[in-house]
Amino acid sequence: MEKIITVDGREVKMKASALVPRLYRFKFGRDMMRDMAQLKKVYTKAASLPEDATDEERAEAQLSMVDLTIFENLAYIMAKHANAAIPASPDEWLEQFNTFSIYEILPQLIDLWGLNVETQVKSKKNIARLTDR
């Protein structure tokens, strides 16, 4: 699955496939599925804060430095997977942008990965139906 995401006013192609967790693991030595689950949990908590949340509640719901690094690494891998011309390191890639909101981009990355997983599940169901015949 591919999707164009606007980052700092620039269109960036992102790609999700079964290869992404492997690329992530080889590049960063971490489990992407576990990291993605952590990001989703923190993002959901931050996104569900009520308008009248206290400063303490808002601070508690903010992404940690580890979460930000995971987000940057995930975005980098999906962009690199879609475009081999992207620099060899996330630092070089991120250097191309000014600041941007993680809260605008993260849900799109989560959706892109979800669409990829959904497609794979449907394919498995179709294969199961064919083998049942």
Side-chain angles (χ1 to χ4, degrees), residues 89-101:
S89 81
D91 293 342
E92 291 177 66
W93 180 67
L94 288 166
E95 185 67 30
Q96 300 174 32
F97 303 102
N98 291 313
T99 58
F100 54 85
S101 172

Side-chain angles (χ1 to χ4, degrees), residues 22-52:
R22 181 179 173 90
L23 294 172
Y24 187 89
R25 184 174 59 252
F26 285 168
K27 183 75 172 175
F28 304 112
R30 297 182 56 96
D31 180 335
M32 188 197 92
M33 302 306 286
R34 183 173 292 157
D35 286 351
M36 179 76 87
Q38 177 181 332
L39 274 181
K40 284 173 72 171
K41 180 180 174 185
V42 173
Y43 173 76
T44 301
K45 183 176 183 179
S48 65
L49 279 177
E51 292 281 330
D52 61 345

Side-chain angles (χ1 to χ4, degrees), residues 15-87:
K15 183 175 180 180
S17 75
L19 181 58
V20 170
R22 181 179 173 90
L23 294 172
Y24 187 89
R25 184 174 59 252
F26 285 168
K27 183 75 172 175
F28 304 112
R30 297 182 56 96
D31 180 335
M32 188 197 92
M33 302 306 286
R34 183 173 292 157
D35 286 351
M36 179 76 87
Q38 177 181 332
L39 274 181
K40 284 173 72 171
K41 180 180 174 185
V42 173
Y43 173 76
T44 301
K45 183 176 183 179
S48 65
L49 279 177
E51 292 281 330
D52 61 345
T54 66
D55 289 343
E56 184 178 326
E57 290 170 324
R58 290 187 190 288
E60 206 175 278
Q62 293 297 311
L63 280 86
S64 71
M65 293 305 269
V66 171
D67 297 327
L68 292 172
T69 301
I70 290 169
F71 161 75
E72 293 161 350
N73 291 345
L74 179 63
Y76 168 77
I77 286 295
M78 287 184 168
K80 180 76 173 164
H81 187 39
N83 179 358
I86 285 179

